[in-house]
Amino acid sequence: MSTKTSRDEEREKHRSSSAQDVRLRRSSPTLVPSVSESSISDYDDDISIRTIPPTTTTMTSSQATTDESNKNLTLRKVANSILFKKRLSRQSSLSWGHKPSPLIGASCFLFLLPIPLLLRACCPLPAFFLGCVTVSSYFSDHVYTGVESWAHIADRVLAPLAFASNLHSIYAHHGAVWALSSLAALKCHVWANYYSKRGMYDEFVIWHSMWHAVGVGLIVVCFAVNGLVGE
């Protein structure tokens, strides 16, 4: 009995010492990192943080692509605008077809009247443009009115150049007051376009002829009043 008791005591001592060793091992820091849930979550967070810059870069590149497409769209709108599509078109802007008016045809030759006055005033460029507009307007507004022709392109390009050059010459020689008188001619042009879009032929003929006559008349009167006629 004494032998068994001693053995039991030894076993109990051995168990207690083993349990104490296990406790010491758990409480002491380990040099080998353990794979726990917290470490895995930290690793995932680190991966997610590292993947943010590529995502931002992708968004930035997509924004740049969008900006580039917007620029291309703007250029397409400009190319398809009235300046490039309508002004440089062989099509006539009149809806009633080929219906020439003798009144408009005769008014085209009025552009020849200011040419001698402009040459005397040393304004060769406005005189040159008026000579060109005489031909282009006659073919566009009378010969090929209402039908497809290259004359429409020439007239749409030359008419603004002639108007701008003569306006500049009047402003340079006689001041802003005389230059502002050109608004009367522009008013006739606006009314002519108004009636052409509504298909009102007779009213268009009157106002388009006045657009020619008033514009030429203002140039002649301006130089006549300022004493350049007959010098």
Side-chain angles (χ1 to χ4, degrees), residues 8-216:
D8 290 338
E9 290 177 355
E10 289 178 359
R11 288 176 183 176
E12 190 67 26
K13 289 180 181 180
H14 180 70
R15 288 177 182 174
S16 61
S17 63
S18 298
Q20 187 175 3
D21 291 339
V22 170
R23 291 175 184 173
L24 290 173
R25 288 175 184 176
R26 289 180 179 178
S27 61
S28 63
T30 179
L31 297 177
V32 180
S34 61
V35 181
S36 62
E37 292 181 358
S38 61
S39 62
I40 292 175
S41 63
D42 294 339
Y43 181 73
D44 291 338
D45 293 338
D46 184 56
I47 292 177
S48 63
I49 293 172
R50 290 179 183 178
T51 56
I52 289 176
T55 306
T56 307
T57 305
T58 304
M59 291 177 64
T60 305
S61 61
S62 65
Q63 290 176 355
T65 305
T66 304
D67 294 339
E68 187 68 23
S69 63
N70 290 334
K71 291 180 181 178
N72 294 332
L73 184 61
T74 303
L75 292 177
R76 287 187 194 134
K77 287 181 179 180
V78 172
N80 293 327
S81 64
I82 296 175
L83 178 63
F84 291 93
K85 194 171 183 179
K86 291 185 177 180
R87 187 166 294 276
L88 301 181
S89 174
R90 296 175 57 187
Q91 299 293 331
S92 175
S93 60
L94 305 178
S95 59
W96 46 74
H98 186 62
K99 196 175 179 181
S101 169
L103 182 60
I104 293 180
S107 68
C108 295
F109 292 98
L110 294 176
F111 292 115
L112 295 174
L113 296 178
I115 291 179
L117 304 177
L118 291 169
L119 293 177
R120 288 179 184 179
C122 298
C123 301
L125 187 60
F128 170 76
F129 280 128
L130 284 179
C132 294
V133 166
T134 302
V135 179
S136 66
S137 64
Y138 179 75
F139 280 95
S140 177
D141 297 339
H142 183 69
V143 178
Y144 297 106
T145 179
V147 296
E148 183 178 344
S149 174
W150 287 102
H152 302 312
I153 300 177
D155 192 52
R156 289 171 186 144
V157 173
L158 291 172
L161 293 176
F163 181 84
S165 62
N166 279 273
L167 183 64
H168 178 268
S169 66
I170 292 174
Y171 175 78
H173 285 84
H174 310 300
V177 176
W178 282 101
L180 288 174
S181 64
S182 62
L183 294 176
L186 286 177
K187 184 67 174 180
C188 297
H189 182 60
V190 170
W191 279 110
N193 288 336
Y194 173 83
Y195 288 117
S196 68
K197 291 178 180 179
R198 282 153 181 78
M200 304 173 70
Y201 175 77
D202 294 332
E203 289 79 2
F204 166 77
V205 169
I206 295 173
W207 284 103
H208 195 79
S209 300
M210 289 182 64
W211 153 243
H212 293 168
V214 172
V216 171

